[in-house]
Amino acid sequence: MHNNLQKTEEIADLMQTTGSGYDLLRYVCLPDLLGKDAATILYVLGKNLARQIKWESLEQVKDFFYKVGWGELVDIKEKRREYIFELTGAAITQRMKQDIITDYRLEAGFLAEAMQQLKQLDCECIDEIKSKKNYVELKVLLSK
């Protein structure tokens, strides 16, 4: 097995690619390869990816989302056991204009793990596409 996983942060900082290749892999190849379990596997992959970085602040997480082309992560609301974020950006808007099936399970898993490290509590994240408003809502739920 290669050691790129341990270089996650370095790759995010230094690599630059165009989005269409990513979209082909993400929304065509991976669902085809992973089949009916794609959503679950992508969520776990997101969590595993986030474990490779030591998270020190929410700003660091937001910067990571932006650097890797996932979009702009904006914290909207904070409750006692829940954080609500909006994920926006040109790529997300463009995907919503197309007649393709998309999901944001990778991003949800990633955010759940990053928040788990920051809050020192178990976290899960639910993603909901808000196509009429051109954003994805990511709701992080903290355990008790």
Side-chain angles (χ1 to χ4, degrees):
M1 183 172 165
H2 58 79
N3 66 351
N4 283 351
L5 190 59
Q6 289 79 31
K7 296 180 180 181
T8 300
E9 193 167 18
E10 180 182 343
I11 290 169
D13 285 338
L14 301 176
M15 301 290 285
Q16 292 184 345
T17 60
T18 60
S20 59
Y22 169 82
D23 285 342
L24 280 172
L25 284 172
R26 178 70 187 280
Y27 300 112
V28 178
C29 298
L30 283 175
D32 181 53
L33 177 68
L34 302 174
K36 64 180 174 47
D37 296 323
T40 302
I41 294 170
L42 287 169
Y43 188 83
V44 171
L45 286 173
K47 288 188 82 135
N48 288 345
L49 190 59
R51 286 186 186 117
Q52 302 306 312
I53 300 170
K54 182 177 180 342
W55 300 104
E56 297 175 5
S57 71
L58 184 54
E59 288 305 313
Q60 182 188 10
V61 177
K62 291 178 184 181
D63 288 345
F64 185 91
F65 268 69
Y66 183 77
K67 282 191 272 188
V68 299
W70 287 348
E72 183 179 351
L73 185 66
V74 179
D75 46 329
I76 300 299
K77 190 183 288 186
E78 178 181 335
K79 296 182 182 177
R80 188 166 161 238
R81 297 280 179 201
E82 177 181 275
Y83 289 80
I84 299 175
F85 297 88
E86 286 181 4
L87 185 60
T88 63
I92 291 169
T93 300
Q94 187 64 29
R95 285 184 204 121
M96 289 182 182
K97 290 179 182 177
Q98 306 306 313
D99 186 25
I100 60 172
I101 297 169
T102 59
D103 68 54
Y104 293 87
R105 299 305 296 152
L106 180 75
E107 293 87 341
F110 190 93
L111 183 57
E113 180 61 32
M115 290 295 288
Q116 186 165 312
Q117 284 186 36
L118 291 172
K119 300 300 177 185
Q120 297 297 303
L121 291 169
D122 288 338
C123 295
E124 293 299 326
C125 184
I126 300 165
D127 58 304
E128 184 178 344
I129 297 171
K130 306 283 190 173
S131 56
K132 291 183 181 177
K133 296 182 180 180
N134 289 325
Y135 72 89
V136 177
E137 181 180 89
L138 296 169
K139 189 180 293 188
V140 177
L141 307 170
L142 284 68
S143 70
K144 297 180 181 179

